[in-house]
Amino acid sequence: MRKLELKNNRMHSASACRLISVLSGKGGVGKSVLTSNLADQISSLGNKVLIVDLDYNFGNQHILANIQASYGITQFENGSLSLGEAIYHVDDNLDLLPAYNCYGLFDQAEVTRLAEFTSRLREEASNYDVIICDHPSGLNKTTSVLAYASDIVLSVLVPELTSISDSYGLFKYLHEVDAKLDFRLLVNRAKDSDEAEYIVSKICALAERFIEDIPTYAGFVTENNQFKEAVASQTSIIKKHPDSPAVKELRVIARKLTGVKSGRISALAEINQGEKINKTPAFADIKG
């Protein structure tokens, strides 16, 4: 599969619907939980939102939403159900297209088939304000095609060296094909805003040096055990703990994703990255 094919198959609808792809370089960073909670936050701002579970091997958005699914993305993809017939209603302004019983669905799919799926999704979801896609961790053909077709790519990472490295790698890979891709970093399980901003500035310093461009900072969510309680209750954190700091942090991110693009961080201006990056050998080795 050539990268040029991916770029040529990038399709954006003229509709106002915004397609957001949520990615992560590695598993275990809380991507799916953040996706469901961000979708809930975006819908609470008055937007009609559709969650699409694209983790067709191990999708769990229906579990997080406390839905017993018996159909979903497979039936929509093969045309046996329309989008309206294949979705489940989660809450006011919030629907879900689940990954139910679709192991290996796109494993052998050609780029054309994936592009057609994306185009049909946009067309049939034109009555939504936001489509937010929960991708499997890592990078595969499906993730690449959908990322290039997205209005925003949101990369979730945590304060761990491997996660930081993988997020930089995602940005580098996707940027090589489309330098105009709106790629944003969301730091999960941060100690505080300072830690999150420091991590983002590290990635920006690497990107500025080796790619000559930098990603956008989407925001952060602090470490919070209340997420576990919400997941155990199969509900969102805003419903389980409406006064949680995480709710305020998610709301800030939701507003950025649905409103004016957040300004990019200049890594070298934020802190003296030229010196700090060379004093951290592990980061200096993250090239590509």
Side-chain angles (χ1 to χ4, degrees):
M1 179 182 62
R2 295 177 303 169
K3 293 180 181 179
L4 181 59
E5 290 180 307
L6 296 178
K7 187 173 181 180
N8 289 340
N9 277 280
R10 182 180 181 185
M11 293 174 295
H12 287 274
S13 170
S15 72
C17 182
R18 179 167 292 191
L19 178 59
I20 302 172
S21 281
V22 185
L23 279 58
S24 66
K26 59 173 288 186
V29 299
K31 172 183 56 60
S32 293
V33 172
L34 278 182
T35 298
S36 63
N37 279 277
L38 266 176
D40 190 63
Q41 285 285 340
I42 293 171
S43 68
S44 73
L45 295 176
N47 301 286
K48 189 173 182 181
V49 181
L50 173 66
I51 303 173
V52 178
D53 195 343
L54 282 169
D55 193 347
Y56 49 88
N57 288 330
F58 303 103
N60 55 26
Q61 286 296 332
H62 61 291
I63 297 173
L64 293 172
N66 194 20
I67 288 173
Q68 293 184 342
S70 58
Y71 53 84
I73 197 170
T74 298
Q75 289 71 26
F76 171 70
E77 195 278 334
N78 65 26
S80 61
L81 292 178
S82 68
L83 181 63
E85 295 168 330
I87 62 172
Y88 290 81
H89 181 65
V90 179
D91 206 342
D92 293 342
N93 292 328
L94 182 60
D95 294 330
L96 168 66
L97 180 63
Y100 169 78
N101 196 23
C102 56
Y103 187 83
L105 177 64
F106 291 117
D107 283 352
Q108 305 301 321
E110 297 297 326
V111 169
T112 301
R113 176 184 162 193
L114 293 168
E116 289 173 350
F117 167 82
T118 309
S119 180
R120 183 168 162 238
L121 176 65
R122 277 187 175 273
E123 181 180 351
E124 295 196 31
S126 60
N127 60 319
Y128 289 92
D129 298 301
V130 176
I131 306 169
I132 182 164
C133 298
D134 181 19
H135 289 261
S137 57
L139 201 56
N140 57 33
K141 186 191 299 183
T142 307
T143 297
S144 298
V145 173
L146 265 294
Y148 292 121
S150 298
D151 299 296
I152 297 172
V153 173
L154 190 64
S155 177
V156 179
L157 65 151
V158 294
E160 298 174 4
L161 182 59
T162 52
S163 179
I164 296 167
S165 174
D166 288 346
S167 191
Y168 166 76
L170 281 175
F171 177 64
K172 181 178 184 297
Y173 178 89
L174 296 173
H175 186 276
E176 286 178 354
V177 176
D178 188 355
K180 295 183 179 180
L181 192 68
D182 189 347
F183 189 98
R184 307 189 188 188
L185 300 170
L186 194 167
V187 183
N188 191 26
R189 300 173 188 162
K191 181 177 66 176
D192 52 32
S193 61
D194 289 342
E195 181 181 52
E197 290 169 8
Y198 181 72
I199 289 170
V200 170
S201 67
K202 284 289 189 181
I203 295 175
C204 287
L206 286 168
E208 193 167 44
R209 176 178 295 183
F210 299 113
I211 306 174
E212 298 183 351
D213 196 5
I214 56 176
T216 299
Y217 181 31
F220 72 97
V221 179
T222 51
E223 180 72 51
N224 195 324
N225 287 329
Q226 292 175 336
F227 271 114
K228 296 180 181 178
E229 297 176 15
V231 170
S233 300
Q234 292 179 284
T235 188
S236 66
I237 193 168
I238 192 174
K239 294 180 179 65
K240 184 71 174 177
H241 299 287
D243 297 323
S244 171
V247 171
K248 297 177 182 179
E249 294 158 358
L250 286 167
R251 187 172 294 120
V252 170
I253 298 167
R255 285 173 174 163
K256 287 182 180 180
L257 293 174
T258 56
V260 180
K261 293 181 181 179
S262 55
R264 292 190 170 190
I265 292 177
S266 176
L268 295 177
E270 189 71 18
I271 29 182
N272 190 356
Q273 298 303 321
E275 295 181 3
K276 288 184 178 290
I277 203 74
N278 291 327
K279 292 181 180 178
T280 312
F283 278 95
D285 291 336
I286 305 174
K287 302 178 184 178

